[in-house]
Amino acid sequence: MKWPDLHKHMKLYAALLPAAITALFLFFPVSLALASILMLVILVLWLFAGNFRERWLTVRDNPVAWAALAMYGLVLIGVLYSPADWDAISLHLTKYLKLPFAVVLMTVIISDRLQQRCLDAFMWAMGFVLASTWLNVWWDLPWSKTHNQGWHVTHHVFGDYITQNIMMAFTVLVALVRMLHATTVWQRVGWAAVSLLASVSITHLSEGRTGYLLLCVMLAVFVFAALRGPSMWFAAILGACLTAGVLVSSDLVRERVVLAYTEVVRANEEKATSVGNRVYLYRITPLLAAEEPLLGHGTGAYHSQICRFVDIPEGCHGWITWHPHNQFLFFAADHGVPGFAAYIFLLLGMVWLARRAQAPEARVLLIGLAALLAVNSMTNSPLWSARESHFFTYMMALLSSRILARPAARQTPLQHQTGQGR
C-alpha cells in the first residue's frame, strides 16, 4: 500500500473511533456481549489509526492511567511465579485487560464534544433501564431479567440487580449534578424527576442492599462536593429525613436491613449467607495475603490457595474460591503489597484529578465514581466482575479524560485528524 493510501486509511480509522466509543457507552449497560465486541472493534481501529506519540501525550500526565497500567503489569508479572493452573491465570489476564483498555480510551476521548456524547449515551441507556424497571411493575417485559409484577418485589432488567443498582446510583448523581447546573426550570424539573425515579427504583423496586448503601454514598457526595454553605446543610438534613422516610415506606428495605443484621449476628454459625460468607472471607483472606506480603502468591493463586485456610464442615465451595468479595484483599492475596498499593493509587489518582477539575460537574462525578468504586470494593470485587468492571473502567477513562482534556486553543494534530476539536 502506498503512503498516501495508508495515510487516507489511517484518517478513516481515526474518524470511526468516536462513533465506536459512543456506541460502547450506549450499549455496555444493557449488553455484556456487545460491549466486548465493541472493545475489540475499538482496539483494532485504535491500532490502525496510528499517531501513537500524540495519543501518549494525552495520558502522560494522568495518574489514573499509570495506576491502571501498573496494576495490569503486576498481573503479567504474577504469571511468572503463580502456582495456579492456566485456566485461572488466563481468566485474570482476560478480566483485568479492561485496565489497559481504559488507557486506550483515555487517548481517544480528548474532546469536549465526544466526552459529552459518551456521558449522554450512558444516560440514554440507563434511562431505558430505568423506564423498563418501572414498566415491569405492571407489565411483563420480554427483555427484563425478572418477571415479577407488583410493587414490593425486586425488579432488574439486564445482568443482576447489584450491577444495575451500582450504575443506577451513579445515574442519580449525574441527574442531580445536571439538575444543579440546568439553565431552565423544565430542565431542572426533568433531572429532579430522573433522580427521584432512579432512587426509588433502588429503594422500593430492588432487594439489593449494596444498592441502598451506594445510593447513600452518591447522595452524600452530591451534598458535600456539589453544594456549599446553607444549601449543603439544608440538603444534608433533608437527605437524613428522606432516608428515614424510605425506611418507613419500603417494606423491602426494612426486610433486607433486618436480614443483614441477622446475618451479621449469626455470621459465625451461618457462613453461607450473603453477609456471613463475606465476614468469613474477610477473616481468612488476610491470612493468605500475610503469607506472601511482598509479591503475593501470583496471578490467579487465590482460587486454589484460599482452600488451605478453610475450616468449615461445608468445605471449600465455589462461593469461597471465586473471589473474596473484596477487591483490596483480592489484589493483596495475589499481588501482595504492590497490588494493594497500586489499587489505592488508582483511587487516590481519581480524587487528585478531581481536585484539579475546573468544571464543577467533572469534579463531582469523578469524586462520586471514586467513592462508588472504593465502597463497592469493600463488599465485592468490581474489577473482577464482568459487568461492574465495564462500568468502572469505561467511566473512569471518560471522567479522567474530561479533566485532562486540552483546551480548543491547544488542539493537537490528533484532534485535528479526527475532527474532535471542532
Side-chain angles (χ1 to χ4, degrees):
M1 184 180 295
K2 297 181 180 179
W3 169 249
D5 292 336
L6 178 61
H7 184 65
K8 180 180 178 180
H9 282 83
M10 290 174 64
K11 291 179 64 176
L12 175 62
Y13 296 135
L16 291 174
L17 262 173
I21 293 172
T22 304
L24 178 69
F25 279 85
L26 179 63
F27 289 113
F28 84 76
V30 299
S31 175
L32 187 63
L34 189 53
S36 299
I37 293 172
L38 285 168
M39 276 183 61
L40 180 60
V41 170
I42 291 168
L43 185 58
V44 171
L45 290 173
W46 183 82
L47 289 171
F48 281 101
N51 288 294
F52 298 115
R53 180 178 178 277
E54 291 295 332
R55 297 185 191 281
W56 168 246
L57 293 176
T58 64
V59 298
R60 183 182 56 186
D61 299 325
N62 189 338
V64 177
W66 283 107
L69 292 175
M71 289 167 63
Y72 198 71
L74 290 172
V75 173
L76 293 175
I77 294 172
V79 174
L80 301 177
Y81 56 90
S82 173
D85 57 32
W86 177 246
D87 288 341
I89 291 174
S90 61
L91 193 59
H92 279 246
L93 293 175
T94 302
K95 281 182 173 288
Y96 293 129
L97 189 61
K98 292 171 193 173
L99 289 168
F101 179 75
V103 180
V104 170
L105 288 179
M106 293 175 196
T107 67
V108 183
I109 311 178
I110 54 177
S111 75
D112 291 338
R113 189 166 69 175
L114 178 57
Q115 292 160 10
Q116 194 62 47
R117 277 209 322 250
C118 290
L119 188 57
D120 288 344
F122 169 77
M123 290 300 287
W124 277 109
M126 293 308 298
F128 175 73
V129 173
L130 178 61
S132 299
T133 300
W134 277 93
L135 291 174
N136 199 56
V137 175
W138 298 281
W139 293 284
D140 189 3
L141 302 179
W143 56 84
S144 179
K145 294 286 287 187
T146 55
H147 302 285
N148 304 323
Q149 297 178 32
W151 183 250
H152 294 290
V153 293
T154 188
H155 299 275
H156 68 277
V157 184
F158 302 102
D160 58 77
Y161 62 81
I162 295 177
T163 306
Q164 177 172 313
N165 286 345
I166 291 169
M167 292 190 287
M168 198 62 72
F170 188 74
T171 300
V172 171
L173 180 62
V174 176
L176 288 173
V177 171
R178 290 189 169 184
M179 177 196 70
L180 189 65
H181 298 287
T183 56
T184 68
V185 173
W186 289 111
Q187 287 178 334
R188 291 177 181 173
V189 171
W191 285 118
V194 170
S195 64
L196 178 61
L197 291 172
S199 298
V200 175
S201 77
I202 296 173
T203 58
H204 289 67
L205 302 179
S206 175
E207 63 180 16
R209 289 168 295 196
T210 299
Y212 307 155
L213 173 62
L214 295 180
L215 176 61
C216 292
V217 171
M218 291 299 93
L219 293 176
V221 167
F222 175 73
V223 169
F224 295 108
L227 304 179
R228 291 290 183 273
S231 298
M232 180 182 71
W233 294 112
F234 174 77
I237 295 172
L238 179 62
C241 294
L242 289 175
T243 301
V246 166
L247 289 173
V248 172
S249 64
S250 176
D251 294 335
L252 196 59
V253 171
R254 290 200 306 274
E255 290 171 1
R256 297 294 288 171
V257 170
V258 170
L259 180 60
Y261 174 77
T262 303
E263 290 177 352
V264 169
V265 172
R266 298 186 58 83
N268 290 331
E269 293 81 21
E270 299 178 1
K271 297 181 175 62
T273 63
S274 178
V275 175
N277 68 38
R278 284 170 169 80
V279 172
Y280 183 66
L281 291 173
Y282 300 164
R283 180 168 68 83
I284 65 174
T285 305
L287 301 177
L288 175 63
E291 281 191 340
E292 297 289 344
L294 294 181
L295 294 176
H297 290 269
T299 301
Y302 167 86
H303 306 293
S304 57
Q305 297 301 307
I306 192 63
C307 290
R308 295 189 289 108
F309 297 89
V310 174
D311 57 355
I312 57 177
E314 296 89 340
C316 197
H317 285 286
W319 61 266
I320 296 175
T321 60
W322 185 235
H323 65 82
H325 286 285
N326 187 303
Q327 192 69 67
F328 299 100
L329 294 178
F330 207 2
F331 280 127
D334 279 357
H335 308 290
V337 172
F340 182 86
Y343 195 43
I344 295 293
F345 181 52
L346 178 78
L347 295 169
L348 292 179
M350 294 167 68
V351 175
W352 181 81
L353 275 183
R355 291 174 61 85
R356 291 185 54 188
Q358 296 180 351
E361 177 185 344
R363 176 177 60 84
V364 175
L365 293 184
L366 189 54
I367 290 175
L369 186 71
L372 200 67
L373 179 58
V375 175
N376 191 39
S377 294
M378 296 178 188
T379 61
N380 203 4
S381 301
L383 297 187
W384 173 259
S385 171
R387 290 183 181 274
E388 291 179 36
S389 62
H390 274 314
F391 166 70
F392 282 112
T393 53
Y394 302 159
M395 204 58 66
M396 176 180 69
L398 171 61
L399 296 179
S400 63
S401 297
R402 294 192 76 185
I403 291 175
L404 291 177
R406 289 185 169 95
R410 295 169 57 195
Q411 186 183 23
T412 67
L414 175 62
Q415 289 173 303
H416 177 73
Q417 178 190 4
T418 59
Q420 293 182 31
R422 301 169 189 168

